[in-house]
Amino acid sequence: MVRAGLTVERLVEGGAELADEIGFEHLTGAALARKFDVRLASLYSHVKNLDALKCQIAMLALSQLADAAAQAMAGLAGKDALQALADAHRDYARRHPGRFTAARHPLTTEQAAASAGPKLTQLIRAVLRGYGLPDAEQVHAVRFLGGFFMGYITLELATGFSHSKPAAEVSWRRSLDALHVSLQHWPSTPEAQ
């Protein structure tokens, strides 16, 4: 790539592309400088340091993931919305494995608030409204679903399910069925009893 027109936006997009190719954990300033055919010092005239760049990639990934989930869930409710939300996470991870990892990169409180993370949480809460969970239980259910999405998808991307039968797709669908039932029968809180 040519160095003319190097901007923060181009660096972030280029970093995201490189993360998808080599893995977010392997993303370095030197690798990105090679991608843009510039000296490492040239990068740091646009971004403070590598962590600042990684935070920007994380924010890009969260935005893209939230947009994909919102589009997939449009007009759906209940189990259909749950499945669309889950599949949006999985599809995004398959297309952009480095960005999917980047979406979990630690952000400051201010960065997290300005990111699309709250939008993703609202999308999960929209699914939960279809199950009638009390407000006090929603944070637990949001974490429950988020933990399942991240855990299953991360294991699948690492080929954790490729050495046994049935196929990971079958277990994914069965797991979504189990999540649906779990949300339908969410345990009541001690305060509600």
Coordinates of all heavy atoms in Angstrom, one line a residue, residues 9-58:
E9 N -8.2 6.6 10.4 CA -9.2 5.7 9.9 C -8.6 4.6 9.1 O -9.0 3.4 9.2 CB -10.3 6.5 9.1 CG -11.1 7.4 9.9 CD -10.4 8.7 10.3 OE1 -9.4 9.1 9.7 OE2 -10.9 9.4 11.3
R10 N -7.7 5.0 8.2 CA -7.0 4.0 7.4 C -6.2 3.0 8.2 O -6.2 1.8 8.0 CB -6.1 4.6 6.3 CG -7.0 5.2 5.2 CD -6.2 5.6 4.0 NE -5.6 4.5 3.4 CZ -4.4 4.5 2.7 NH1 -3.7 5.6 2.6 NH2 -3.9 3.4 2.2
L11 N -5.5 3.5 9.2 CA -4.8 2.7 10.1 C -5.7 1.7 10.9 O -5.3 0.5 11.0 CB -4.0 3.5 11.1 CG -2.7 4.2 10.6 CD1 -2.1 5.1 11.6 CD2 -1.7 3.2 10.1
V12 N -6.8 2.2 11.4 CA -7.7 1.3 12.1 C -8.3 0.2 11.2 O -8.3 -0.9 11.5 CB -8.8 2.1 12.7 CG1 -9.9 1.3 13.3 CG2 -8.3 3.1 13.8
E13 N -8.7 0.6 10.0 CA -9.2 -0.4 9.1 C -8.2 -1.3 8.6 O -8.4 -2.6 8.6 CB -9.9 0.3 7.8 CG -10.6 -0.6 6.9 CD -11.7 -1.4 7.5 OE1 -12.5 -0.8 8.3 OE2 -11.9 -2.6 7.2
G14 N -7.0 -0.8 8.3 CA -5.9 -1.7 8.0 C -5.5 -2.6 9.1 O -5.2 -3.8 8.9
G15 N -5.5 -2.1 10.3 CA -5.2 -2.9 11.5 C -6.3 -4.0 11.7 O -5.9 -5.2 12.0
A16 N -7.5 -3.7 11.4 CA -8.6 -4.7 11.5 C -8.4 -5.8 10.5 O -8.6 -7.0 10.8 CB -9.9 -4.0 11.4
E17 N -8.1 -5.4 9.3 CA -7.9 -6.4 8.2 C -6.7 -7.3 8.6 O -6.8 -8.5 8.4 CB -7.6 -5.6 6.9 CG -8.7 -4.9 6.3 CD -8.4 -4.0 5.1 OE1 -7.2 -4.0 4.7 OE2 -9.3 -3.3 4.6
L18 N -5.6 -6.7 9.1 CA -4.5 -7.5 9.4 C -4.8 -8.4 10.6 O -4.3 -9.6 10.6 CB -3.3 -6.5 9.8 CG -1.9 -7.2 9.9 CD1 -1.5 -7.9 8.7 CD2 -0.9 -6.1 10.3
A19 N -5.6 -7.9 11.6 CA -6.0 -8.8 12.7 C -6.8 -10.0 12.2 O -6.6 -11.1 12.7 CB -6.8 -8.0 13.7
D20 N -7.6 -9.8 11.2 CA -8.3 -10.9 10.6 C -7.4 -11.9 9.9 O -7.7 -13.1 9.9 CB -9.4 -10.4 9.6 CG -10.6 -9.7 10.3 OD1 -10.8 -10.0 11.5 OD2 -11.3 -9.0 9.6
E21 N -6.3 -11.4 9.3 CA -5.4 -12.3 8.6 C -4.5 -13.0 9.6 O -4.2 -14.2 9.4 CB -4.5 -11.4 7.7 CG -5.3 -10.8 6.5 CD -4.5 -9.8 5.8 OE1 -3.2 -9.8 5.9 OE2 -5.1 -8.9 5.1
I22 N -3.9 -12.3 10.6 CA -2.9 -13.0 11.4 C -3.3 -13.2 12.9 O -2.6 -13.8 13.6 CB -1.6 -12.1 11.4 CG1 -1.8 -10.7 12.1 CG2 -1.0 -11.9 10.0 CD1 -0.5 -9.9 12.3
G23 N -4.4 -12.7 13.2 CA -4.9 -12.8 14.6 C -4.7 -11.5 15.4 O -3.6 -10.9 15.3
F24 N -5.7 -11.1 16.1 CA -5.5 -9.8 16.9 C -4.4 -9.9 17.9 O -3.7 -8.9 18.1 CB -6.9 -9.5 17.6 CG -6.9 -8.2 18.3 CD1 -7.0 -7.0 17.6 CD2 -6.9 -8.1 19.7 CE1 -7.0 -5.8 18.2 CE2 -7.0 -6.9 20.3 CZ -7.1 -5.7 19.6
E25 N -4.2 -11.0 18.4 CA -3.1 -11.2 19.4 C -1.7 -11.0 18.8 O -0.7 -10.8 19.5 CB -3.2 -12.5 20.2 CG -3.1 -13.7 19.3 CD -4.3 -14.1 18.6 OE1 -5.3 -13.4 18.6 OE2 -4.3 -15.2 17.9
H26 N -1.6 -11.2 17.5 CA -0.3 -11.1 16.8 C -0.1 -9.7 16.1 O 0.9 -9.5 15.5 CB -0.2 -12.2 15.7 CG -0.3 -13.5 16.3 ND1 0.7 -14.0 17.2 CD2 -1.2 -14.5 16.2 CE1 0.3 -15.3 17.6 NE2 -0.8 -15.6 17.0
L27 N -1.1 -8.8 16.3 CA -1.0 -7.5 15.7 C 0.0 -6.7 16.4 O 0.0 -6.5 17.6 CB -2.4 -6.8 15.7 CG -2.5 -5.4 15.1 CD1 -2.2 -5.5 13.6 CD2 -3.9 -4.8 15.4
T28 N 1.0 -6.2 15.6 CA 2.0 -5.3 16.2 C 2.1 -4.1 15.3 O 1.7 -4.0 14.2 CB 3.4 -6.0 16.2 OG1 3.8 -6.3 14.8 CG2 3.4 -7.3 16.9
G29 N 2.7 -3.1 15.9 CA 3.0 -1.8 15.1 C 3.9 -2.1 14.0 O 3.7 -1.6 12.9
A30 N 4.9 -3.0 14.1 CA 5.8 -3.3 13.0 C 5.1 -4.0 11.9 O 5.3 -3.6 10.7 CB 6.9 -4.2 13.5
A31 N 4.2 -4.9 12.2 CA 3.4 -5.6 11.1 C 2.5 -4.6 10.4 O 2.4 -4.7 9.2 CB 2.6 -6.7 11.8
L32 N 1.9 -3.7 11.1 CA 1.0 -2.7 10.5 C 1.9 -1.7 9.6 O 1.5 -1.3 8.5 CB 0.2 -2.0 11.5 CG -0.9 -1.1 11.0 CD1 -1.9 -1.9 10.1 CD2 -1.7 -0.4 12.1
A33 N 3.0 -1.3 10.1 CA 3.9 -0.5 9.3 C 4.3 -1.1 8.0 O 4.3 -0.5 7.0 CB 5.1 -0.1 10.2
R34 N 4.6 -2.4 8.1 CA 4.9 -3.2 6.9 C 3.8 -3.2 5.9 O 3.9 -3.0 4.7 CB 5.4 -4.6 7.2 CG 6.8 -4.7 7.7 CD 7.3 -6.2 7.7 NE 6.4 -7.0 8.6 CZ 6.6 -7.1 9.9 NH1 7.5 -6.4 10.5 NH2 5.8 -8.0 10.6
K35 N 2.6 -3.4 6.4 CA 1.4 -3.4 5.6 C 1.2 -2.1 4.8 O 0.9 -2.1 3.6 CB 0.1 -3.7 6.4 CG -1.2 -3.7 5.6 CD -2.4 -4.0 6.5 CE -3.7 -3.9 5.8 NZ -3.9 -5.0 4.8
F36 N 1.5 -1.0 5.5 CA 1.4 0.3 4.8 C 2.7 0.9 4.2 O 2.7 1.9 3.7 CB 0.9 1.4 5.8 CG -0.6 1.3 6.1 CD1 -1.1 0.6 7.2 CD2 -1.5 1.8 5.2 CE1 -2.4 0.5 7.5 CE2 -2.9 1.7 5.4 CZ -3.3 1.0 6.6
D37 N 3.7 0.0 4.3 CA 5.0 0.4 3.7 C 5.5 1.7 4.3 O 5.9 2.6 3.5 CB 5.0 0.4 2.2 CG 6.4 0.5 1.6 OD1 7.3 0.0 2.2 OD2 6.5 1.0 0.5
V38 N 5.4 1.9 5.6 CA 5.9 3.1 6.3 C 6.8 2.7 7.4 O 6.8 1.5 7.8 CB 4.8 4.0 6.8 CG1 3.9 4.5 5.6 CG2 3.9 3.2 7.8
R39 N 7.5 3.6 7.9 CA 8.3 3.4 9.2 C 7.4 3.3 10.4 O 6.4 4.0 10.4 CB 9.4 4.5 9.3 CG 10.4 4.5 8.3 CD 11.4 5.6 8.5 NE 12.4 5.7 7.5 CZ 13.6 5.2 7.5 NH1 14.0 4.5 8.6 NH2 14.4 5.3 6.5
L40 N 7.8 2.6 11.3 CA 7.0 2.4 12.6 C 6.7 3.8 13.2 O 5.6 4.1 13.6 CB 7.7 1.5 13.6 CG 7.0 1.2 14.9 CD1 5.7 0.6 14.6 CD2 7.9 0.4 15.8
A41 N 7.7 4.7 13.2 CA 7.5 6.0 13.8 C 6.3 6.8 13.0 O 5.7 7.6 13.7 CB 8.8 6.8 13.7
S42 N 6.1 6.5 11.8 CA 5.1 7.2 11.0 C 3.7 6.8 11.6 O 2.8 7.7 11.5 CB 5.1 6.8 9.5 OG 6.3 7.2 9.0
L43 N 3.5 5.6 12.0 CA 2.3 5.2 12.6 C 1.9 6.1 13.8 O 0.8 6.5 14.1 CB 2.3 3.7 13.0 CG 2.4 2.7 12.0 CD1 2.4 1.3 12.6 CD2 1.4 2.8 10.9
Y44 N 3.0 6.3 14.6 CA 2.7 6.9 15.9 C 2.6 8.5 15.8 O 2.4 9.1 16.8 CB 3.8 6.5 16.9 CG 3.7 5.0 17.2 CD1 4.8 4.2 17.0 CD2 2.5 4.5 17.6 CE1 4.7 2.8 17.2 CE2 2.4 3.1 17.9 CZ 3.5 2.3 17.6 OH 3.4 1.0 17.9
S45 N 2.6 8.9 14.6 CA 2.3 10.3 14.4 C 0.7 10.4 14.2 O 0.2 11.5 14.2 CB 3.0 11.0 13.2 OG 2.6 10.3 12.0
H46 N 0.1 9.3 14.1 CA -1.4 9.2 13.9 C -2.1 8.6 15.1 O -3.2 9.0 15.4 CB -1.7 8.4 12.6 CG -1.2 9.0 11.4 ND1 -1.8 10.1 10.8 CD2 -0.1 8.6 10.6 CE1 -1.1 10.4 9.7 NE2 -0.1 9.5 9.6
V47 N -1.4 7.7 15.8 CA -2.0 7.1 17.0 C -1.0 7.2 18.1 O 0.2 7.1 17.9 CB -2.5 5.6 16.8 CG1 -3.6 5.6 15.8 CG2 -1.3 4.8 16.3
K48 N -1.5 7.2 19.3 CA -0.6 7.4 20.5 C 0.4 6.2 20.7 O 1.5 6.4 20.9 CB -1.5 7.6 21.7 CG -0.7 7.8 23.0 CD -1.6 8.0 24.2 CE -0.9 8.1 25.5 NZ -1.8 8.3 26.6
N49 N -0.2 5.0 20.6 CA 0.6 3.8 20.8 C -0.2 2.6 20.3 O -1.4 2.8 19.8 CB 1.0 3.6 22.3 CG -0.2 3.7 23.2 OD1 -1.3 3.2 22.9 ND2 0.0 4.3 24.4
L50 N 0.3 1.4 20.4 CA -0.3 0.2 19.9 C -1.7 0.0 20.6 O -2.7 -0.4 20.0 CB 0.6 -1.0 20.0 CG 0.0 -2.3 19.4 CD1 -0.3 -2.1 17.9 CD2 1.0 -3.4 19.6
D51 N -1.7 0.2 21.9 CA -2.9 -0.1 22.7 C -4.0 0.9 22.2 O -5.2 0.5 22.1 CB -2.7 0.0 24.2 CG -4.0 -0.4 24.9 OD1 -4.3 -1.6 24.8 OD2 -4.6 0.4 25.6
A52 N -3.7 2.1 21.9 CA -4.7 3.1 21.5 C -5.2 2.6 20.1 O -6.5 2.7 19.9 CB -4.1 4.5 21.3
L53 N -4.4 2.1 19.3 CA -4.9 1.6 18.0 C -5.8 0.4 18.2 O -6.8 0.2 17.6 CB -3.7 1.2 17.1 CG -4.0 0.6 15.7 CD1 -4.7 1.6 14.9 CD2 -2.8 0.0 15.1
K54 N -5.3 -0.5 19.1 CA -6.1 -1.7 19.4 C -7.5 -1.4 20.0 O -8.5 -2.0 19.6 CB -5.4 -2.7 20.3 CG -4.3 -3.4 19.6 CD -3.6 -4.5 20.5 CE -2.7 -5.4 19.7 NZ -2.3 -6.5 20.5
C55 N -7.6 -0.3 20.8 CA -8.8 0.1 21.3 C -9.7 0.7 20.2 O -10.9 0.4 20.2 CB -8.6 1.2 22.4 SG -7.9 0.6 23.9
Q56 N -9.1 1.4 19.2 CA -9.9 1.9 18.1 C -10.4 0.7 17.2 O -11.6 0.7 16.7 CB -9.1 2.8 17.2 CG -8.7 4.0 18.0 CD -9.2 5.3 17.4 OE1 -10.0 5.3 16.4 NE2 -8.7 6.4 17.9
I57 N -9.6 -0.3 17.1 CA -10.1 -1.5 16.3 C -11.2 -2.2 17.1 O -12.2 -2.7 16.5 CB -8.9 -2.5 16.1 CG1 -7.9 -1.8 15.1 CG2 -9.4 -3.8 15.5 CD1 -6.5 -2.6 15.0
A58 N -11.1 -2.3 18.4 CA -12.1 -2.9 19.2 C -13.4 -2.1 19.0 O -14.5 -2.7 18.9 CB -11.7 -2.9 20.7

